Amino acid sequence: MTASRPLIPQASATIATIAEEVGVSVATVSKVLNGRADVAAETRARVEESLERHRYRRRIRRQSPGIDQIDLVFHEFNSGWAMEIMSGVEAVASAAGLGIAISQLDGEHRPAPRRLDALVARRPLGLLFVLCHPTPPQQLMLAEHRIPFVVLDTDSATSASVPTVGSNNWNGGLLATRHLLELGHRRIAVISGPRDVLCSQARAAGFRSAHDEIGLPLDADLVRYGSFYVDGGHDHGLELLTGPDRPTAIFAGSDLQAIGVLRAARRLGLRVPDDLSVIGYDDLPVAGWTDPPLTTVHQPLRDMAGTATQMLLELARGATVATSRIDLVTELVVRESTAPPATTRP
């Protein structure tokens, strides 16, 4: 057996003392004290053991004066979509007397270390990540600082331990495609979001499942992935609609993509829905303002955001949430941008 090393009476131990004893830099000891994730596990263990033996007294950071707040972190801002999320968060946060700090990751789906360090330094009540989430080492860092977090509309598979709120994207893709098939369309294209984003894959999977239900072969050339924005729908729409055997309907992965498809159709002299049916996704307010008004899949963004915020507040109070994954229901909203294909009309 190895005898445990005796505790050293608390005296004048400093970070430099710890660093010299362990054989690491002062910066490394400081990272361990601050819960930074970029320290090897074996090094962290040796530093922690030395800190305990020296009974090093860690400084307790005081929160800044003022009201408590939560940090809302987007992977990037997306006008109307982000506004729906912010409205849902604000409704719950304001009722609880909390402020909201908003930031974004310039399109990245994982926060860079310096960004997470800045978030932790603010000592928020909790963090709400939208279409992004912290890496496992960063999750450990947040746990060490006792800062809970919730992921909203996750972009990739998360472990069961990560609290997540989303919607049934697969079902949304299924509902949209079933609607077009029931109208009589047999050559349908899908323009989903980025290929590496889980909700994009799920919506495309629902699209495929609707074809499988009726035994209709799927043309791989009609499955496209791109940005969720107008230019993504416009560029893919032009390619699809200028091909030799163009689709009679397009299911877009977002309302903004669908607006891009409408623009591409108008540019080519195609009438919606006479020559082309178009379905969007999200049911943003703008979907009712397009010409024609857009058939779309309603994603309950405000409810998703409010549910995620409520879950975050429960975690901040030390409660245990009943489930770590909540998926809300998606519904089809039929407006005027879809109709039977011209070849089936009398």
Side-chain angles (χ1 to χ4, degrees), residues 253-274:
S254 73
D255 290 339
L256 294 181
Q257 276 185 338
I259 290 172
V261 173
L262 293 177
R263 288 184 178 178
R266 187 176 298 111
R267 178 175 173 182
L268 296 172
L270 299 175
R271 298 166 300 167
V272 176
D274 296 338

Side-chain angles (χ1 to χ4, degrees), residues 199-217:
C199 64
S200 302
Q201 299 172 22
R203 292 169 196 176
F207 172 82
R208 292 188 180 93
S209 294
H211 283 75
D212 292 342
E213 281 183 339
I214 64 170
L216 180 65

